[in-house]
Amino acid sequence: MAEIERLAQEVVNRWEKGDLAEAVRALSQHLESLKSERLAYRHHIAAAEQLHCDDDVQVDDDATVSPTDEGCWVSAWLKVRDEDVQEPEHG
């Protein structure tokens, strides 16, 4: 996700300078790439949902995928309850 943040920040930076075209094209290309990967690995995303999702693990419809030699990584959300978080002691 860092790449999309970087590209979006570049759009903001270029907006302030009045030079948007190149930054918007780069952002558009990256978004198309993400969309293409999601489409290419849609069956992997569905398998991730079936195999791993429950009340504490969710996969978005627009999950990010990262191809590997054996398949792909699929991004997911993990729920962390407040009761499971231990605050560090201040001393």
Side-chain angles (χ1 to χ4, degrees):
M1 195 55 110
E3 180 65 6
I4 197 165
E5 290 176 15
R6 186 190 70 73
L7 291 167
Q9 185 62 54
E10 185 63 22
V11 169
V12 171
N13 294 345
R14 297 276 183 120
W15 174 271
E16 294 171 357
K17 297 175 186 175
D19 179 24
L20 275 177
E22 183 179 342
V24 170
R25 276 193 299 274
L27 178 58
S28 177
Q29 288 173 348
H30 184 68
L31 291 172
E32 279 300 314
S33 173
L34 292 175
K35 182 179 174 182
S36 293
E37 283 185 339
R38 261 195 311 278
L39 184 58
Y41 288 95
R42 66 188 178 280
H43 299 296
H44 291 72
I45 294 170
E49 290 172 334
Q50 290 177 341
L51 294 169
H52 302 289
C53 288
D54 57 27
D55 290 341
D56 293 329
V57 179
Q58 298 295 315
V59 174
D60 290 337
D61 291 338
D62 60 350
T64 301
V65 296
S66 181
T68 70
D69 291 340
E70 299 174 340
C72 72
W73 288 95
V74 176
S75 66
W77 290 95
L78 303 175
K79 183 188 294 182
V80 178
R81 291 177 178 73
D82 291 341
E83 64 200 41
D84 295 329
V85 176
Q86 295 182 11
E87 297 290 332
E89 293 184 24
H90 298 285

